[in-house]
Amino acid sequence: MNPLKILFLLLLLLLSSESKTMDLIGFNNNSVNTSTKWELITDKVMGGKSTGNLEFFFETFPFIRLEGSVSTENNGGFIQTRSAVNIENDDFSFIEINVRGNPGIYFIHIRTGMTILPWQFYAGKFSVSENWKRIIVKLSDFKKSNFYQPSRFSPSDIKSIAFVAYGRDFDARLDVKSAYLKK
């Protein structure tokens, strides 16, 4: 087949393929979308000793920073920033994030209508370095936090998403430039 025809067919295929994406972080046109509310939650709500801070930054692009001291003292061990989401369909299979921070393991926590108690969530693990890095976390890789939760969830079941420093004593700093649900 003619190489020009192959190139044309590939271009046509790319242009005609449907790509579904949903912005989870609320940044648009180099600014923070103020309709997306992010809140800081620490283990102090249950008597823990962790401290945290949530800030919005703009360098050459906007990002959020979750920063603080995670302490497992007094049955604690987390800081997080969480936002409600409204997903109207199930055409998504992964979350793509662009992150950096203090090197280590962090988590995405998803809550659904079936995660009513505070300790119920689905966790997706990822690691960061000091440099910006694009990471894909498949929805099928999220693990439930308790045995009595359903094993799986659909994207349209998601009620909130959180970025979490969790489970060990450490100084956390997680910068999130973007987070998208993708097909």
Side-chain angles (χ1 to χ4, degrees), residues 95 97 106-110 122-124 126 137 142 161-164:
I95 297 176
I97 57 177
Y106 293 84
F107 297 86
I108 298 172
H109 284 184
I110 286 176
Y122 295 90
F126 62 94
V137 184
F142 278 72
I161 183 170
F163 295 98
V164 186

Side-chain angles (χ1 to χ4, degrees), residues 97-100 126-135 177:
I97 57 177
N98 198 331
V99 291
R100 72 176 179 192
F126 62 94
S127 62
V128 301
S129 68
E130 290 288 341
N131 299 315
W132 288 108
K133 181 169 136 180
R134 183 180 151 265
I135 298 170
K177 184 188 334 183

Side-chain angles (χ1 to χ4, degrees), residues 155-173:
S156 61
D157 296 334
I158 299 171
K159 301 298 180 207
S160 71
I161 183 170
F163 295 98
V164 186
Y166 171 74
R168 60 185 171 48
D169 295 316
F170 72 110
D171 289 326
R173 188 187 83 245

